[in-house]
Amino acid sequence: VICNVLCVGTELLLGQIDDTNSTYIGQQLVDAGITSYEHRRVGDNPERIEKALRDLLEVSDAIIVTGGLGPTHDDITREVTATVMGAELEHDSAVLENMKAIFARRNREMPQTNLRQAMVPKGATVIHNHLGTAPGLMCPVGDKTIYLVPGVPHEMYPMVTDTIIPDILSRGKATAIVTRTIKTWGISESSLAEQLDAFVQAGETSDVKVGFLARGMNGIYVKLSASADTKEQARAIIAPVEHEVLAVLGEAAYGFDDDTMESIVIDLLKKQGKTIAIAESLTGGMLSSRLVDVPGSSDVHMGGVVSYTKAVKHDVLGVQVRDVYSNECAEQMAQGVAKHLGSDIGLSTTGVAGPDEDNGHPPGEVFIGISTATDTIAQRFLLGGDRKRVREYTTITAFDFLRRYLSSFNLD
Amino acid sequence: VICNVLCVGTELLLGQIDDTNSTYIGQQLVDAGITSYEHRRVGDNPERIEKALRDLLEVSDAIIVTGGLGPTHDDITREVTATVMGAELEHDSAVLENMKAIFARRNREMPQTNLRQAMVPKGATVIHNHLGTAPGLMCPVGDKTIYLVPGVPHEMYPMVTDTIIPDILSRGKATAIVTRTIKTWGISESSLAEQLDAFVQAGETSDVKVGFLARGMNGIYVKLSASADTKEQARAIIAPVEHEVLAVLGEAAYGFDDDTMESIVIDLLKKQGKTIAIAESLTGGMLSSRLVDVPGSSDVHMGGVVSYTKAVKHDVLGVQVRDVYSNECAEQMAQGVAKHLGSDIGLSTTGVAGPDEDNGHPPGEVFIGISTATDTIAQRFLLGGDRKRVREYTTITAFDFLRRYLSSFNLD
């Protein structure tokens, strides 16, 4: 089965937003073993949308189209698709009810313009949208299908994953492609490439391809992929290579696939029955916020103090040392927040986010502290990048520092 | 002049990396007044690259092609373009010298595979690459041009900006396009569309186009754009329409162009000489972290307390009320954090992030509090979306609540 992708929206052509939708759809297709040869982007223009649909229908079994399903009159994907189908648009009362329910939940009047979103091409099947007003639509064209989904990512994701991928799979045989992602932190991408060069070279001629993907504050991913008739076979091909790669990576491998650094840290804390509180200077709440992202984190994450100013470090956290860019400050912040919030463990960040140096300390010089009932440690790191990047790298570096500490602690 | 974009790389189709290159190129083209109708992505496959090039040549004056210029044998953009040009590949000694210099600088031997990168289609002009081994190439095809650039962003950027855009502009008349972005919060996208419908309709036949862009926790943007012979003329065309649109939007318009909700709030605080501290429950540090993103925010942002648990709300912030999902709790949190950190203003968030309801309170029910020396207020909001979205919407809603409060406060 070949499924290609069309993203509709003038804002994409103008570079006003990154097209992350086709990235997501590409990942879902490859995970399902569905081939994709081409992704296109066109603006909100009826002739060009129609031409793209007709072109892609010639080389695809299915097309996933994102965007242009909104209530405003430049949202014309529905109408153009109906033209390509040779079908009329019909009013769909179930879609209308869903829209009314959404507006009612928000205590708001439904504007008349939204009525357009209840128009469905005759012969199309509705994919209900519980998160927004634009329904997804499965539109048959001969033995092929055009799938229309909203451009809003969190509305689009479940439609693709839960409805469209299974529908495409029901139409033809797929090759099973399995990708295993090993997530790492602490080794640069070029060092990883060098250390794993033998595996990359072997992958050129063998079944297990090895690739790298730098994902900012989520670390660097090592991706092993293989294809076979079944997922089980593909997994069996990957397993021995994964084993060898993990031996090379050692402690730098922090998790797999859907793991995040935060989920790993929360799991370690839960296993050891320890609570945590966080004192943040340059990260300004980013660590706490990432932990709150993990469902169930409130079992171990008590909260924290954002001590962005020296006064708060001193008055609230009891920091005594004068130099806020020091291991001593990080230690006292970690001790202070654990005491102040009554947690077992304190974790702290302080340092220079940049863009300028401060009192002779360069941007990217950060100090991370850990305090427990019996132990207080801190370490200095030099991180690269602009202000945003330094703050993000500090976040993952701090979690990684705690992960390595808890892992060895647990072994004692 | 019409310039379309082709991105080559199987990793793009597989969703292994986001395609930010075409975002960048789209921005550069629109800034230069060059029209772009279509962006395509294909894998490292000779037939499909060739078909895409031939298709796009029919509807373009110029094509910018990124990717597939590397040294490995799946990098075939150069060869396929030579085929489309009907030209032979020739060895280019200047390119070879540049590659040798780069390897020498890195103290590494140049692998034989890199020699391929010194092959240039006869008739093409080289764009030298000082940052990497793959040169850019300007390849004439009749009176049209295919521009090849590397997929590595920082190597590609200067080639596009310094060489390719001026080259395209030298071939045809460009139009100056100006876009003015009005950033809003508090009106849904469909209501905005309804309230501004007259402007949207007028834009169909007049010079100022009106569009909308939902940007999550940055709000909803109203975009006014106009084209003219010069940027000044385009700005003059937009100005009266902008004036009228602002009158309709009223308080919902929080800023323009590069403003963010955080930068506006920081500016208001600076103007009024007030400091702030933030108490966060469901947002877990997101508000504080967004404020730290604004350079110079430390003048007014003292920090905050993440009181994710009831115990921290009570012990650290002095919250007395039992129901943490209430206006009273938000008020006491705001008072507590201002007192605890010694700030002029306290801002607080509490509520249900979801995905599940809690004690009869639905996901998305949030309470935001503001406390000053003379005044304490709170308000309940019902926000839509999943857990992540609720937390992000709470963040912008809280800043917006404070912005409106400070704006009216200032008028007294």
Side-chain angles (χ1 to χ4, degrees), chain A residues 75-142:
Chain A
D75 293 305
I76 51 177
T77 303
R78 231 178 341 251
E79 287 73 8
V80 175
T81 305
T83 305
V84 172
M85 294 167 73
E88 299 288 307
L89 284 166
E90 295 179 326
H91 175 85
D92 187 296
S93 53
V95 172
L96 184 64
E97 288 312 310
N98 180 55
M99 292 197 307
K100 283 186 177 164
I102 285 177
F103 277 94
R105 223 157 55 211
R106 297 179 191 164
N107 287 321
R108 296 229 313 264
E109 283 283 309
M110 189 178 83
Q112 288 296 309
T113 48
N114 280 84
L115 287 176
R116 291 188 57 222
Q117 295 185 300
M119 299 303 288
V120 167
K122 196 177 156 85
T125 307
V126 167
I127 310 172
H128 281 290
N129 184 349
H130 303 289
L131 302 165
T133 54
L137 294 167
M138 305 201 276
C139 305
V141 186

Side-chain angles (χ1 to χ4, degrees), chain A residues 7 11-20 22-28 30 36-43 45 48 51-52 55 59 71-75 103 105-114 131 152-154 177 179 194 204 212-213 215 223 225 280-299 301-309 311-312 315-316 340-341 355 387-388 391, chain B residues 7 12-20 22-28 30 36-43 45 48 51-52 55 59 72-73 108 179 181 186-191 193-194 197 200-201 204 210-215 223 280-298 301-309 311-312 315-316 340-341 355 380 382 384-389 391 393:
Chain A
C7 297
E11 71 279 9
L12 294 167
L13 295 181
L14 300 182
Q16 295 178 341
I17 53 173
D18 282 329
D19 171 18
T20 54
S22 48
T23 310
Y24 177 84
I25 296 171
Q27 288 166 348
Q28 300 307 306
V30 71
S36 193
Y37 284 144
E38 186 175 336
H39 296 175
R40 280 199 205 186
R41 258 190 295 230
V42 295
N45 172 286
R48 285 187 286 273
K51 180 170 185 305
D55 280 4
V59 294
T72 66
H73 72 280
D74 58 349
D75 293 305
F103 277 94
R105 223 157 55 211
R106 297 179 191 164
N107 287 321
R108 296 229 313 264
E109 283 283 309
M110 189 178 83
Q112 288 296 309
T113 48
N114 280 84
L131 302 165
V152 181
H154 74 276
I177 303 176
T179 299
E194 209 159 72
E204 297 280 308
F212 305 99
L213 194 55
R215 292 311 300 262
K223 290 192 152 269
S225 56
E280 307 189 48
S281 185
L282 79 159
T283 49
M286 207 180 267
L287 274 82
S288 269
S289 183
R290 301 278 294 189
L291 288 187
V292 171
D293 265 341
V294 182
S297 57
S298 59
D299 293 350
H301 175 219
M302 301 193 63
V305 171
V306 177
S307 56
Y308 193 42
T309 57
V312 175
D315 300 346
V316 178
H340 197 60
L341 269 67
R387 181 179 175 87
K388 182 166 175 287
R391 296 180 62 224
Chain B
C7 296
L12 293 166
L13 296 181
L14 300 181
Q16 295 180 341
I17 52 172
D18 283 329
D19 172 17
T20 55
S22 47
T23 309
Y24 177 83
I25 295 171
Q27 288 166 347
Q28 300 307 308
V30 73
S36 195
Y37 285 142
E38 186 176 336
H39 296 175
R40 280 199 203 186
R41 261 190 292 232
V42 296
N45 172 285
R48 284 186 287 271
K51 180 169 184 307
D55 280 4
V59 293
T72 66
H73 69 278
R108 295 219 325 255
T179 299
T181 303
I187 305 179
S188 75
E189 188 177 0
S190 52
S191 295
E194 205 160 72
D197 191 49
V200 176
Q201 301 285 354
E204 297 283 303
V210 179
F212 305 99
L213 194 57
R215 292 307 304 265
K223 293 197 152 259
E280 307 189 49
S281 184
L282 79 159
T283 49
M286 208 180 266
L287 275 82
S288 270
S289 182
R290 299 278 294 189
L291 288 187
V292 172
D293 264 341
V294 182
S297 57
S298 59
H301 176 219
M302 300 194 63
V305 171
V306 177
S307 56
Y308 194 41
T309 57
V312 175
D315 300 345
V316 178
H340 196 60
L341 269 67
R380 174 177 175 273
L382 269 177
D386 57 10
R387 181 180 174 87
K388 182 165 173 288
R389 208 26 85 100
R391 296 180 61 226
Y393 283 166

Side-chain angles (χ1 to χ4, degrees), chain B residues 184-251:
Chain B
T184 77
W185 188 246
I187 305 179
S188 75
E189 188 177 0
S190 52
S191 295
L192 273 180
E194 205 160 72
Q195 293 180 28
L196 298 178
D197 191 49
F199 298 97
V200 176
Q201 301 285 354
E204 297 283 303
T205 54
S206 83
D207 294 328
V208 182
K209 308 289 174 206
V210 179
F212 305 99
L213 194 57
R215 292 307 304 265
M217 76 190 296
N218 294 310
I220 299 173
Y221 299 174
V222 179
K223 293 197 152 259
L224 311 179
S225 55
S227 51
D229 287 341
T230 67
K231 292 219 166 199
E232 307 238 305
Q233 286 170 7
R235 275 191 210 102
I237 296 170
I238 289 174
V241 179
E242 177 184 332
H243 190 75
E244 293 177 54
V245 167
L246 284 175
V248 175
L249 295 174
E251 258 202 325

Side-chain angles (χ1 to χ4, degrees), chain B residues 247-404:
Chain B
V248 175
L249 295 174
E251 258 202 325
Y254 73 76
F256 301 92
D257 300 326
D258 292 336
D259 292 336
T260 63
M261 185 64 91
E262 301 85 72
S263 72
I264 295 292
V265 165
I266 293 284
D267 283 348
L268 280 168
L269 291 167
K270 282 187 181 174
K271 269 183 206 142
Q272 304 191 15
K274 303 285 184 206
T275 58
I276 189 170
I278 302 179
E280 307 189 49
S281 184
L282 79 159
T283 49
M286 208 180 266
L287 275 82
S288 270
S289 182
R290 299 278 294 189
L291 288 187
V292 172
D293 264 341
V294 182
S297 57
S298 59
D299 293 349
V300 293
H301 176 219
M302 300 194 63
V305 171
V306 177
S307 56
Y308 194 41
T309 57
K310 213 167 178 168
V312 175
K313 286 187 188 73
H314 182 274
D315 300 345
V316 178
L317 296 177
V319 169
Q320 299 297 324
V321 67
R322 283 182 178 212
D323 186 358
V324 295
Y325 304 132
S326 65
N327 280 327
E328 291 69 32
C329 180
E331 287 177 2
Q332 292 176 7
M333 286 173 70
Q335 288 170 332
V337 77
K339 190 176 163 200
H340 196 60
L341 269 67
S343 64
D344 299 315
I345 297 175
L347 176 66
S348 69
T349 64
T350 181
V352 188
D356 303 315
E357 62 152 46
D358 192 4
N359 281 312
H361 294 271
E365 184 183 18
V366 305
F367 301 85
I368 294 168
I370 296 175
S371 167
T372 68
T374 54
D375 198 12
T376 300
I377 60 166
Q379 190 171 316
R380 174 177 175 273
F381 297 84
L382 269 177
L383 307 172
D386 57 10
R387 181 180 174 87
K388 182 165 173 288
R389 208 26 85 100
V390 165
R391 296 180 61 226
E392 292 182 351
Y393 283 166
T394 303
T395 300
I396 182 168
T397 300
F399 286 139
D400 192 52
F401 188 49
L402 179 62
R403 173 184 72 90
R404 290 171 191 247

Side-chain angles (χ1 to χ4, degrees), chain B residues 63-86:
Chain B
I63 309 170
I64 299 178
V65 186
T66 72
L69 298 181
T72 66
H73 69 278
D74 57 352
D75 292 305
I76 52 178
T77 302
R78 231 179 339 253
E79 287 73 8
V80 175
T81 305
T83 305
V84 172
M85 295 167 71

